Amino acid sequence: MMKLDIHMGLQRGLIVASAVFVMAGAAFAEDGLTSLRGNVPIGDSSPAPAISHWQRDDQLIERNFAEQPPLIPHHIKNYRIDLHSNKCLTCHNRATAQKTGAPEIGPTHFFDRDGNPTTGVSPRRYFCLQCHVPQKSVKPLVENTFRNANTE
């Protein structure tokens, strides 16, 4: 009997949640806002967005603020970065950066948290994607009015 009561309660909850969702959608549309799906009904498939392309790999992306980590101007699909391997280091480490033409890892990546120099990349800087992210030239999802105070 208890299972039946719980099941009925869940059904009622789903019905109420669905009604709220429909009403919120109507209010959303009345405010002139649209979803990323555009005017495509929920039951229909929306068209796929245009395929964006990576920026040229040989051009650095301008930073928006003084301490911003550099952005990655190329794809990183299938890059392995774990305890035993770091694909980024095949091009960006000190030994190969000259040969590959890739920017060399900055000197801050070779100090531990106490400021002592390390022989290799510091463990706290080893997982590149904690700070560095790939960047594509795409249309923004929302308007952005950010202005860099350092360049104005």
Side-chain angles (χ1 to χ4, degrees), residues 89-123:
L89 295 179
T90 58
C91 295
H92 294 280
N93 71 27
R94 289 178 170 172
T96 60
Q98 290 285 329
K99 296 174 200 163
T100 63
E104 185 179 311
I105 298 172
T108 58
H109 290 59
F110 296 93
F111 290 92
D112 66 15
R113 65 180 175 190
D114 298 321
N116 302 316
T118 59
T119 56
V121 177
S122 169

mmCIF file of all heavy atoms in Angstrom, residues 89-123:
data_model
loop_
_atom_site.group_PDB
_atom_site.id
_atom_site.type_symbol
_atom_site.label_atom_id
_atom_site.label_comp_id
_atom_site.label_asym_id
_atom_site.label_seq_id
_atom_site.Cartn_x
_atom_site.Cartn_y
_atom_site.Cartn_z
ATOM 1 N N LEU A 89 52.054 18.529 -23.565
ATOM 2 C CA LEU A 89 53.500 18.651 -23.390
ATOM 3 C C LEU A 89 54.290 18.167 -24.602
ATOM 4 O O LEU A 89 55.479 18.476 -24.723
ATOM 5 C CB LEU A 89 53.946 17.895 -22.134
ATOM 6 C CG LEU A 89 53.399 18.452 -20.817
ATOM 7 C CD1 LEU A 89 53.882 17.620 -19.647
ATOM 8 C CD2 LEU A 89 53.762 19.907 -20.634
ATOM 9 N N THR A 90 53.663 17.422 -25.512
ATOM 10 C CA THR A 90 54.402 16.969 -26.693
ATOM 11 C C THR A 90 54.812 18.148 -27.574
ATOM 12 O O THR A 90 55.810 18.056 -28.284
ATOM 13 C CB THR A 90 53.587 15.961 -27.539
ATOM 14 O OG1 THR A 90 52.372 16.574 -27.938
ATOM 15 C CG2 THR A 90 53.305 14.697 -26.758
ATOM 16 N N CYS A 91 54.076 19.244 -27.535
ATOM 17 C CA CYS A 91 54.428 20.426 -28.331
ATOM 18 C C CYS A 91 54.879 21.615 -27.488
ATOM 19 O O CYS A 91 55.687 22.424 -27.938
ATOM 20 C CB CYS A 91 53.235 20.864 -29.173
ATOM 21 S SG CYS A 91 52.733 19.682 -30.415
ATOM 22 N N HIS A 92 54.335 21.745 -26.294
ATOM 23 C CA HIS A 92 54.548 22.969 -25.520
ATOM 24 C C HIS A 92 55.635 22.888 -24.452
ATOM 25 O O HIS A 92 55.886 23.887 -23.777
ATOM 26 C CB HIS A 92 53.224 23.401 -24.865
ATOM 27 C CG HIS A 92 52.190 23.821 -25.856
ATOM 28 N ND1 HIS A 92 52.174 25.060 -26.444
ATOM 29 C CD2 HIS A 92 51.140 23.143 -26.396
ATOM 30 C CE1 HIS A 92 51.154 25.146 -27.284
ATOM 31 N NE2 HIS A 92 50.512 23.992 -27.268
ATOM 32 N N ASN A 93 56.280 21.744 -24.284
ATOM 33 C CA ASN A 93 57.334 21.690 -23.255
ATOM 34 C C ASN A 93 58.593 22.397 -23.756
ATOM 35 O O ASN A 93 58.743 22.696 -24.938
ATOM 36 C CB ASN A 93 57.603 20.250 -22.802
ATOM 37 C CG ASN A 93 58.302 19.411 -23.837
ATOM 38 O OD1 ASN A 93 59.040 19.909 -24.681
ATOM 39 N ND2 ASN A 93 58.071 18.116 -23.781
ATOM 40 N N ARG A 94 59.499 22.670 -22.862
ATOM 41 C CA ARG A 94 60.695 23.442 -23.201
ATOM 42 C C ARG A 94 61.553 22.762 -24.268
ATOM 43 O O ARG A 94 62.152 23.420 -25.099
ATOM 44 C CB ARG A 94 61.529 23.683 -21.945
ATOM 45 C CG ARG A 94 60.891 24.661 -20.998
ATOM 46 C CD ARG A 94 61.711 24.849 -19.754
ATOM 47 N NE ARG A 94 61.180 25.962 -18.976
ATOM 48 C CZ ARG A 94 61.602 26.259 -17.771
ATOM 49 N NH1 ARG A 94 62.530 25.537 -17.184
ATOM 50 N NH2 ARG A 94 61.072 27.286 -17.135
ATOM 51 N N ALA A 95 61.593 21.446 -24.250
ATOM 52 C CA ALA A 95 62.463 20.711 -25.176
ATOM 53 C C ALA A 95 61.954 20.731 -26.614
ATOM 54 O O ALA A 95 62.755 20.709 -27.553
ATOM 55 C CB ALA A 95 62.623 19.270 -24.692
ATOM 56 N N THR A 96 60.647 20.784 -26.816
ATOM 57 C CA THR A 96 60.110 20.674 -28.180
ATOM 58 C C THR A 96 59.465 21.941 -28.716
ATOM 59 O O THR A 96 59.171 22.011 -29.911
ATOM 60 C CB THR A 96 59.068 19.544 -28.260
ATOM 61 O OG1 THR A 96 58.006 19.837 -27.349
ATOM 62 C CG2 THR A 96 59.677 18.197 -27.954
ATOM 63 N N ALA A 97 59.242 22.940 -27.898
ATOM 64 C CA ALA A 97 58.529 24.149 -28.349
ATOM 65 C C ALA A 97 59.246 24.834 -29.505
ATOM 66 O O ALA A 97 58.607 25.312 -30.437
ATOM 67 C CB ALA A 97 58.336 25.115 -27.190
ATOM 68 N N GLN A 98 60.569 24.866 -29.493
ATOM 69 C CA GLN A 98 61.318 25.481 -30.587
ATOM 70 C C GLN A 98 61.085 24.736 -31.903
ATOM 71 O O GLN A 98 60.902 25.337 -32.942
ATOM 72 C CB GLN A 98 62.823 25.488 -30.263
ATOM 73 C CG GLN A 98 63.204 26.429 -29.152
ATOM 74 C CD GLN A 98 63.191 27.871 -29.620
ATOM 75 O OE1 GLN A 98 63.452 28.156 -30.780
ATOM 76 N NE2 GLN A 98 62.871 28.783 -28.708
ATOM 77 N N LYS A 99 61.062 23.398 -31.828
ATOM 78 C CA LYS A 99 60.887 22.575 -33.034
ATOM 79 C C LYS A 99 59.461 22.658 -33.577
ATOM 80 O O LYS A 99 59.257 22.697 -34.788
ATOM 81 C CB LYS A 99 61.214 21.112 -32.723
ATOM 82 C CG LYS A 99 62.632 20.859 -32.326
ATOM 83 C CD LYS A 99 62.801 19.409 -31.897
ATOM 84 C CE LYS A 99 64.054 19.271 -31.058
ATOM 85 N NZ LYS A 99 64.075 18.038 -30.293
ATOM 86 N N THR A 100 58.479 22.669 -32.692
ATOM 87 C CA THR A 100 57.079 22.640 -33.130
ATOM 88 C C THR A 100 56.521 24.020 -33.447
ATOM 89 O O THR A 100 55.506 24.131 -34.117
ATOM 90 C CB THR A 100 56.181 21.999 -32.050
ATOM 91 O OG1 THR A 100 56.229 22.810 -30.871
ATOM 92 C CG2 THR A 100 56.620 20.574 -31.742
ATOM 93 N N GLY A 101 57.159 25.071 -32.945
ATOM 94 C CA GLY A 101 56.655 26.421 -33.150
ATOM 95 C C GLY A 101 55.538 26.793 -32.191
ATOM 96 O O GLY A 101 54.934 27.852 -32.294
ATOM 97 N N ALA A 102 55.236 25.908 -31.244
ATOM 98 C CA ALA A 102 54.182 26.164 -30.253
ATOM 99 C C ALA A 102 54.736 27.062 -29.143
ATOM 100 O O ALA A 102 55.935 27.023 -28.843
ATOM 101 C CB ALA A 102 53.709 24.844 -29.654
ATOM 102 N N PRO A 103 53.884 27.872 -28.523
ATOM 103 C CA PRO A 103 54.350 28.670 -27.382
ATOM 104 C C PRO A 103 54.857 27.755 -26.270
ATOM 105 O O PRO A 103 54.265 26.722 -25.986
ATOM 106 C CB PRO A 103 53.106 29.429 -26.921
ATOM 107 C CG PRO A 103 52.185 29.411 -28.090
ATOM 108 C CD PRO A 103 52.475 28.149 -28.836
ATOM 109 N N GLU A 104 55.954 28.136 -25.684
ATOM 110 C CA GLU A 104 56.550 27.352 -24.596
ATOM 111 C C GLU A 104 55.783 27.593 -23.301
ATOM 112 O O GLU A 104 55.274 28.689 -23.068
ATOM 113 C CB GLU A 104 58.008 27.785 -24.421
ATOM 114 C CG GLU A 104 58.783 26.986 -23.434
ATOM 115 C CD GLU A 104 60.230 27.459 -23.324
ATOM 116 O OE1 GLU A 104 60.867 27.626 -24.376
ATOM 117 O OE2 GLU A 104 60.684 27.683 -22.190
ATOM 118 N N ILE A 105 55.726 26.567 -22.464
ATOM 119 C CA ILE A 105 55.093 26.698 -21.152
ATOM 120 C C ILE A 105 55.765 27.833 -20.390
ATOM 121 O O ILE A 105 56.990 27.943 -20.391
ATOM 122 C CB ILE A 105 55.233 25.394 -20.348
ATOM 123 C CG1 ILE A 105 54.523 24.257 -21.057
ATOM 124 C CG2 ILE A 105 54.693 25.551 -18.937
ATOM 125 C CD1 ILE A 105 54.785 22.911 -20.434
ATOM 126 N N GLY A 106 54.964 28.655 -19.728
ATOM 127 C CA GLY A 106 55.503 29.786 -18.976
ATOM 128 C C GLY A 106 56.307 29.360 -17.757
ATOM 129 O O GLY A 106 56.113 28.270 -17.215
ATOM 130 N N PRO A 107 57.193 30.221 -17.293
ATOM 131 C CA PRO A 107 58.055 29.893 -16.150
ATOM 132 C C PRO A 107 57.286 29.639 -14.854
ATOM 133 O O PRO A 107 57.762 28.905 -13.989
ATOM 134 C CB PRO A 107 58.975 31.106 -16.015
ATOM 135 C CG PRO A 107 58.342 32.191 -16.807
ATOM 136 C CD PRO A 107 57.470 31.559 -17.831
ATOM 137 N N THR A 108 56.085 30.182 -14.720
ATOM 138 C CA THR A 108 55.307 29.966 -13.495
ATOM 139 C C THR A 108 54.889 28.506 -13.336
ATOM 140 O O THR A 108 54.537 28.081 -12.243
ATOM 141 C CB THR A 108 54.033 30.827 -13.491
ATOM 142 O OG1 THR A 108 53.257 30.505 -14.650
ATOM 143 C CG2 THR A 108 54.382 32.308 -13.488
ATOM 144 N N HIS A 109 54.933 27.737 -14.405
ATOM 145 C CA HIS A 109 54.523 26.332 -14.362
ATOM 146 C C HIS A 109 55.594 25.424 -13.771
ATOM 147 O O HIS A 109 55.389 24.229 -13.638
ATOM 148 C CB HIS A 109 54.163 25.844 -15.764
ATOM 149 C CG HIS A 109 52.902 26.435 -16.299
ATOM 150 N ND1 HIS A 109 52.718 27.783 -16.468
ATOM 151 C CD2 HIS A 109 51.757 25.853 -16.703
ATOM 152 C CE1 HIS A 109 51.517 28.016 -16.953
ATOM 153 N NE2 HIS A 109 50.901 26.855 -17.104
ATOM 154 N N PHE A 110 56.752 25.978 -13.406
ATOM 155 C CA PHE A 110 57.866 25.191 -12.892
ATOM 156 C C PHE A 110 58.212 25.534 -11.445
ATOM 157 O O PHE A 110 59.363 25.436 -11.034
ATOM 158 C CB PHE A 110 59.095 25.365 -13.799
ATOM 159 C CG PHE A 110 58.862 24.839 -15.185
ATOM 160 C CD1 PHE A 110 58.410 25.672 -16.192
ATOM 161 C CD2 PHE A 110 59.063 23.499 -15.473
ATOM 162 C CE1 PHE A 110 58.177 25.183 -17.466
ATOM 163 C CE2 PHE A 110 58.834 22.996 -16.742
ATOM 164 C CZ PHE A 110 58.388 23.839 -17.743
ATOM 165 N N PHE A 111 57.205 25.943 -10.682
ATOM 166 C CA PHE A 111 57.376 26.219 -9.255
ATOM 167 C C PHE A 111 56.293 25.501 -8.473
ATOM 168 O O PHE A 111 55.139 25.469 -8.906
ATOM 169 C CB PHE A 111 57.294 27.726 -8.968
ATOM 170 C CG PHE A 111 58.474 28.492 -9.496
ATOM 171 C CD1 PHE A 111 58.441 29.061 -10.765
ATOM 172 C CD2 PHE A 111 59.621 28.634 -8.732
ATOM 173 C CE1 PHE A 111 59.519 29.752 -11.262
ATOM 174 C CE2 PHE A 111 60.710 29.331 -9.219
ATOM 175 C CZ PHE A 111 60.668 29.897 -10.491
ATOM 176 N N ASP A 112 56.652 24.953 -7.317
ATOM 177 C CA ASP A 112 55.636 24.307 -6.488
ATOM 178 C C ASP A 112 54.858 25.367 -5.726
ATOM 179 O O ASP A 112 55.124 26.570 -5.856
ATOM 180 C CB ASP A 112 56.261 23.250 -5.564
ATOM 181 C CG ASP A 112 57.189 23.831 -4.504
ATOM 182 O OD1 ASP A 112 57.171 25.066 -4.261
ATOM 183 O OD2 ASP A 112 57.942 23.050 -3.901
ATOM 184 N N ARG A 113 53.921 24.945 -4.904
ATOM 185 C CA ARG A 113 53.059 25.920 -4.215
ATOM 186 C C ARG A 113 53.803 26.755 -3.180
ATOM 187 O O ARG A 113 53.311 27.792 -2.743
ATOM 188 C CB ARG A 113 51.872 25.214 -3.583
ATOM 189 C CG ARG A 113 52.231 24.263 -2.476
ATOM 190 C CD ARG A 113 50.988 23.636 -1.927
ATOM 191 N NE ARG A 113 51.326 22.634 -0.931
ATOM 192 C CZ ARG A 113 50.475 21.804 -0.414
ATOM 193 N NH1 ARG A 113 49.218 21.844 -0.804
ATOM 194 N NH2 ARG A 113 50.833 20.935 0.488
ATOM 195 N N ASP A 114 54.998 26.312 -2.787
ATOM 196 C CA ASP A 114 55.805 27.082 -1.835
ATOM 197 C C ASP A 114 56.793 28.005 -2.535
ATOM 198 O O ASP A 114 57.604 28.657 -1.892
ATOM 199 C CB ASP A 114 56.556 26.125 -0.897
ATOM 200 C CG ASP A 114 55.599 25.284 -0.067
ATOM 201 O OD1 ASP A 114 54.561 25.826 0.366
ATOM 202 O OD2 ASP A 114 55.895 24.087 0.144
ATOM 203 N N GLY A 115 56.765 28.016 -3.876
ATOM 204 C CA GLY A 115 57.653 28.886 -4.635
ATOM 205 C C GLY A 115 59.002 28.269 -4.956
ATOM 206 O O GLY A 115 59.889 28.956 -5.461
ATOM 207 N N ASN A 116 59.179 26.991 -4.677
ATOM 208 C CA ASN A 116 60.442 26.314 -4.965
ATOM 209 C C ASN A 116 60.430 25.811 -6.408
ATOM 210 O O ASN A 116 59.431 25.273 -6.875
ATOM 211 C CB ASN A 116 60.642 25.128 -4.018
ATOM 212 C CG ASN A 116 60.633 25.565 -2.568
ATOM 213 O OD1 ASN A 116 61.251 26.561 -2.213
ATOM 214 N ND2 ASN A 116 59.913 24.837 -1.745
ATOM 215 N N PRO A 117 61.580 25.951 -7.117
ATOM 216 C CA PRO A 117 61.623 25.467 -8.495
ATOM 217 C C PRO A 117 61.506 23.942 -8.573
ATOM 218 O O PRO A 117 61.972 23.231 -7.681
ATOM 219 C CB PRO A 117 62.988 25.930 -9.007
ATOM 220 C CG PRO A 117 63.733 26.451 -7.839
ATOM 221 C CD PRO A 117 62.802 26.594 -6.688
ATOM 222 N N THR A 118 60.862 23.455 -9.634
ATOM 223 C CA THR A 118 60.726 22.016 -9.857
ATOM 224 C C THR A 118 61.500 21.645 -11.124
ATOM 225 O O THR A 118 61.764 22.498 -11.971
ATOM 226 C CB THR A 118 59.248 21.619 -10.020
ATOM 227 O OG1 THR A 118 58.701 22.344 -11.123
ATOM 228 C CG2 THR A 118 58.447 21.925 -8.764
ATOM 229 N N THR A 119 61.867 20.383 -11.256
ATOM 230 C CA THR A 119 62.614 19.954 -12.438
ATOM 231 C C THR A 119 61.715 19.813 -13.664
ATOM 232 O O THR A 119 62.165 19.958 -14.785
ATOM 233 C CB THR A 119 63.326 18.613 -12.177
ATOM 234 O OG1 THR A 119 62.354 17.654 -11.765
ATOM 235 C CG2 THR A 119 64.392 18.767 -11.116
ATOM 236 N N GLY A 120 60.454 19.518 -13.457
ATOM 237 C CA GLY A 120 59.484 19.410 -14.549
ATOM 238 C C GLY A 120 58.304 20.305 -14.250
ATOM 239 O O GLY A 120 58.355 21.141 -13.339
ATOM 240 N N VAL A 121 57.247 20.126 -14.994
ATOM 241 C CA VAL A 121 56.033 20.911 -14.757
ATOM 242 C C VAL A 121 55.510 20.592 -13.358
ATOM 243 O O VAL A 121 55.413 19.436 -12.966
ATOM 244 C CB VAL A 121 54.964 20.601 -15.819
ATOM 245 C CG1 VAL A 121 53.679 21.350 -15.526
ATOM 246 C CG2 VAL A 121 55.474 20.953 -17.204
ATOM 247 N N SER A 122 55.181 21.619 -12.620
ATOM 248 C CA SER A 122 54.662 21.462 -11.268
ATOM 249 C C SER A 122 53.356 20.670 -11.284
ATOM 250 O O SER A 122 52.534 20.864 -12.187
ATOM 251 C CB SER A 122 54.411 22.843 -10.666
ATOM 252 O OG SER A 122 53.690 22.765 -9.467
ATOM 253 N N PRO A 123 53.158 19.796 -10.318
ATOM 254 C CA PRO A 123 51.900 19.039 -10.275
ATOM 255 C C PRO A 123 50.660 19.928 -10.274
ATOM 256 O O PRO A 123 49.643 19.570 -10.833
ATOM 257 C CB PRO A 123 52.005 18.244 -8.975
ATOM 258 C CG PRO A 123 53.468 18.103 -8.734
ATOM 259 C CD PRO A 123 54.085 19.382 -9.254
#
